[in-house]
Amino acid sequence: MTEQGSKLFGLTSAEVAERVADGRVNHDTDVKTKSIWQILAAHAFTLFNGVNLAMALFISFTGQYRNLFFLFIVGANLVIGVFQEIRAKHMVDKLSIMTQKQVAVIREGAEVAIAPSELVIDDLMRLSHGDQVPADSEVVSGNVYCDESLLTGESVPVAKAPGSELFSGSFIESGSLVARVTKVGRDGYAAKINAEAKYVKDVKSEILATLKAIIRLGTMVLVPLGIGLFVRTILMDGSTVNEAILSTTSAVLGMIPQGLVLLTSSVLAIATTRLGSRGVLVQQSYCVETLARVDTLCLDKTGTITSGEMEVAHVSCAPGSTDAEAVAAFAAIAAANASDANETAKALLAFAGDCEGLRAEGTGKKDPEPQIARAVAFSSARKYSGCVLADGRSLVMGAAQFVLGESRTPEADALCGGFEDIERRMVVCECDGFTDDDGIVGEPLLIACVGIRDKIRDSAPETMSYFIDQGVELRVISGDDPRTVSAIARLAGVPRADLMVDASTLDTPQKLEEAAAKYRVFGRVTPQQKRELVCALHRLGRTVAMTGDGVNDVLALREADCSVSMASGSAAARNVSEIVLADNDFSHMPEVVAEGRRSINNLQRSASLFLVKTVFTAVLALICIILPPYPFIPIQMSLISTTVIGIPSFVLALEPNKERVSGNFLANVLSRSLPASCSIIVFLLLELVLGRLLGHDFDEISTVCMIITIVVGLALIFRISQPLTALRRALIVSMAALAVVACTVFGSFFLVVALPADVAVATAVFCVLAVMLFDRLSARFERNADSNRLLIAAAEKIESGVPVPRAALPRDERKRG
C-alpha cells in the first residue's frame, strides 16, 4: 500500500493478487446454511425410514404389492420435511443476499466497488453514513460515530477518529472515513462469534422426542417379536413363508406409527405456511411447539422493544423563545445535513414535519422550506452540527457541554428538568457564525432543549400484555445502561421493570444464577453473559425463548429453546434462529404462539388415535406368539389406519384451538389412547381363544377382529370430539360409512368375509361390551387427569403465595386434609 502526496493510492493489482494467493481474503465470515444434499440426507437416513424400507423389501418378496400402501405415507412425510427445510433455506439465503452491499475500496488511486468477500488485508475502504463495516479495520482519515449495537448490544453511538479500530458488523451512523483492513475472514470480531454458533442446533421438542422414543422402542421390540412371531407362524401353525411374512410385517408396521409422523409433519407444515403468509419465516417447524410451551421470554431491547429508530420525546423552550421558533431551528439544521442524516437528524426532520402538518391543518398554510446558505456537518470531534441560513442567522445543535460550554451546562440541565433518563439531550442555539474550520463564533443564545429517545414500537405494550396474560415471564437483556433499559422496558409494559441489575457486577456463576431468578432487566450484558443467562434459566427449569438481531445475540439464540430474530439483523442471527420475522415486526409473536397452541393441542388429541394401534399391535403380537394366528395382514391395517386414525386425526388436527398447552405430550396422549387399546386387546384375545375353540377359519377371525377394532376406534373418535359440532358429526358418520363400504363392497380386496349368523351376533355383542369397557376406563383416566391438573394448579398458586381454598383441591386430597 502506497500514498502519493496527500492522495491515498491503496493497493496495486500485484499486491492484491499476492494477498489472494496467500489466502488473506475476507471469506467465510458468516455462518452458512445447510446444503440441499445435507437436508436430504438428514431427512432420508433415519431409523423410521430404515424400518419401513426393510418391511417393504420383505413384502415385495411375497409379491403382494397391494400391501405396500404404507410407503405412500413414508414418502409423503419425507417430501414434506425436505420441502419445508429447503424452502426455509432459500428464504434465509435470499435475505442474506438482499442485505449484502458492495464496498468502495481505493486501489491504484482509483475507487472501485467490490463484494465484501473480495476484500484483502491492507485494502483501503471508503465508508459513510449507513454503511456496514465488512471487516475489522483501522481508521486512516475522517471522524464518525459508529453503531456497534449488533456486536455489543449497546445502542449509544461510539466516536471513531484516525487510529481507532472498527469492528466488522458495526454501522457508520454519521460522517465518512477511510479505513485500512486489518483482519479478514474468520479472524474478524464478528466471525469469531459466528464460529461458536453452528447453523445446526438440537431441536428441542417434546413431540419429536416422543416420536423418536416410540420409534426406538418399537424398533427394539419389533426385532424379537417379529422373529418370534415369524418362527411361531411358520413352524407351529403350518403357514407358508409368504403368509408368515405378511402376518409378521403387519404386526411390525402396526408398532411404528407412520401416520402420526406424517400427521405431525403435515400439521406443522400447515402452521409454518400460515405463519409465512404473515411475514413469519419458520426455519425449524418443531419450534412452533416449543414456543407454545415457553414460560420465559428473553427480549433484546434494540430491534425488539424499540424499532431501531429515534423519536423526539420532549422540546423545552428557553425563556423568550416559542415552540415554533425551536422547531424551525432544529428542522433547519437537520435539513441542512439531510444528505448525511443520522437517526437523530431523521427524528428531528420527522418531528418538524409533523408539527408543520398540524399547523397547516389549522391555518391552511404550509411553512416555506428554510433557505440554507451553508451546512456545518456533524463531527465526532466537535459533537455538534449547524447551518447558516440565507438571511444570515447561524444555528447550532449538539450536546450542551460542547455547544454552551461546561460553565453554562447547568442552564440547559434546568431547562431539561422534565426529561426522562432514557432521553438523549441536546440544545439548539443561535450563534454569530462559524469559522472556516466550523468552529462556533460568539456566545450561543439558547433557544430550546430537545429530548430524543429510542422509538418504542407501537405494538410493544399490546404484545407484552399478551405474554403477561399467558403467564410468560419477561426478561429484557441489553448491552445498554441498565437504567436506560429499565425505563424503556417500563414504557413498553414489562412488569417489574424496576428489578434491574448491571451485568458487569455478576462476576461469578453463582451471582449470575441468583440474578436470573430475581431480576427482570439486565444491562451491560456481554454476548457470553447472554448465553450464560439462558443456561441459568434452563437450570431453574424454565423453557426459554430468546429474541435478538445482532452478532452479540448469536450465542444466546443458539442456546435458547426457541430463538427469534429480525430479518434486518445480522446474517449470523438469522441463520441460527428457528424463527425470522421477515418484516421485523415483533407483534407477530402472539400469532406464532396461537398457531403453536392450535397445532399442539390438536396433535395431542389426534395422536391418541395413532397410539391405540401402536399399543394394541405390540401386545397382540406378543399374545400371538403363544396363541396364533396374528389376525391382520398389512392391507387390513391400512384400512383401520385410514378409517379410524388417518382421516379423523387430520381433520381434528386442523380445527381452531386456543387452549394453553399443559402437561407432558406423551402422558396426555396415553390418557386418551390406553382405554381404547385395553378394550381392543381384551376382546381380540377373547375372539382368538373362542375362534380357535369353535373352529373358525383365519378369514372369519380376521374379519371379527377388524370389526371390533374399527368400532372401538369410532367410539374413541366420538369421545375426543366432544363437544360435537356439525363437522365432527359429519366426520364420525363418514368414517363409519367408509368402513361399512370397505368391508362389504370391497370386502374381497381387504380379505373380509361374510360371517355366519351366530358369529355375526357374537361379534355385535363383543362390540357393545368393548365400547362399554372403553367408556368405563376412559372415565377413570379422565378423573385422574383432572385431579392431577387441580393439584398442579394449586401447587403453582401456593408457590406464588396465593391462598388455595379447600374446595379447589381434588376430592381425594380434601379427604386427606
Side-chain angles (χ1 to χ4, degrees), residues 324-325 481 493 559 786:
E325 290 173 340
D481 185 288
E559 202 66 43
D786 290 340

Side-chain angles (χ1 to χ4, degrees), residues 3 298 556:
E3 186 173 337
C298 295

Side-chain angles (χ1 to χ4, degrees), residues 347-366:
L348 293 169
L349 284 170
F351 182 73
D354 291 342
C355 292
E356 183 182 339
L358 290 173
R359 284 198 298 273
E361 288 178 12
T363 63
K365 296 180 181 180
K366 186 177 179 181

Side-chain angles (χ1 to χ4, degrees), residues 153-469:
E154 192 164 358
S155 60
V156 178
V158 181
K160 302 289 183 179
S164 298
E165 186 176 7
L166 292 177
F167 296 109
S168 52
S170 60
F171 286 87
I172 307 300
E173 187 178 89
S174 62
S176 60
L177 55 72
V178 174
R180 180 179 63 84
V181 175
T182 56
K183 295 177 183 176
V184 291
R186 297 181 180 179
D187 293 331
Y189 182 85
K192 284 182 179 178
I193 297 181
N194 289 351
E196 295 189 50
K198 307 300 181 187
Y199 173 72
V200 182
K201 60 180 283 189
D202 292 336
V203 179
K204 299 177 181 179
S205 161
E206 261 194 42
I207 292 178
L208 183 60
T210 300
L211 289 177
K212 286 183 175 180
I214 291 172
I215 293 169
R216 280 196 304 269
L217 179 61
T219 305
M220 288 188 292
V221 171
L222 68 83
V223 174
L225 278 182
I227 293 173
L229 187 60
F230 178 82
V231 171
R232 178 68 172 85
T233 303
I234 198 169
L235 295 181
M236 301 182 185
D237 204 39
S239 300
T240 66
V241 172
N242 285 357
E243 289 172 342
I245 289 175
L246 290 177
S247 179
T248 303
T249 53
S250 177
V252 168
L253 289 172
M255 298 179 209
I256 305 297
Q258 297 102 331
L260 178 56
V261 176
L262 175 61
L263 177 69
T264 302
S265 299
S266 301
V267 169
L268 294 179
I270 291 170
T272 57
T273 302
R274 285 177 172 174
L275 292 171
S277 66
R278 302 170 193 164
V280 179
L281 171 61
V282 179
Q283 300 194 78
Q284 172 49 258
S285 56
Y286 281 97
C287 74
V288 175
E289 174 214 348
T290 309
L291 194 57
R293 297 180 181 277
V294 158
D295 54 27
T296 305
L297 177 60
C298 295
L299 302 168
D300 180 45
K301 176 182 71 69
T302 307
T304 302
I305 298 177
T306 63
S307 64
E309 302 173 356
M310 306 294 287
E311 65 178 351
V312 174
H314 287 97
V315 175
S316 182
C317 296
S321 299
T322 65
D323 289 343
E325 290 173 340
V327 172
F330 63 65
I333 298 171
N337 294 279
S339 60
D340 188 31
N342 56 19
E343 292 301 328
T344 298
K346 290 177 183 177
L348 293 169
L349 284 170
F351 182 73
D354 291 342
C355 292
E356 183 182 339
L358 290 173
R359 284 198 298 273
E361 288 178 12
T363 63
K365 296 180 181 180
K366 186 177 179 181
D367 293 345
E369 293 291 333
Q371 300 298 310
I372 310 298
R374 174 187 173 188
V376 176
F378 179 84
S379 164
S380 59
R382 295 188 303 269
K383 293 185 173 53
Y384 62 76
S385 59
C387 67
V388 179
L389 303 178
D391 61 9
R393 292 177 64 216
S394 297
L395 302 171
V396 61
M397 178 174 62
Q401 63 267 38
F402 294 98
V403 174
L404 296 174
E406 295 290 349
S407 61
R408 293 184 59 195
T409 299
E411 179 185 347
D413 290 342
L415 199 59
C416 299
F419 291 12
E420 296 187 27
D421 291 339
I422 61 173
E423 295 173 22
R424 191 180 303 171
R425 305 172 187 187
M426 295 185 298
V427 295
V428 181
C429 301
E430 184 173 345
C431 62
D432 296 336
F434 298 94
T435 62
D436 292 341
D437 59 354
D438 295 335
I440 298 173
V441 176
E443 184 175 342
L445 174 64
L446 182 61
I447 298 175
C449 283
V450 181
I452 297 180
R453 69 183 181 193
D454 285 336
K455 186 176 183 179
I456 297 174
R457 292 182 182 274
D458 295 337
S459 58
E462 183 180 352
T463 305
M464 302 303 164
S465 177
Y466 171 84
F467 282 109
I468 295 165
D469 292 342

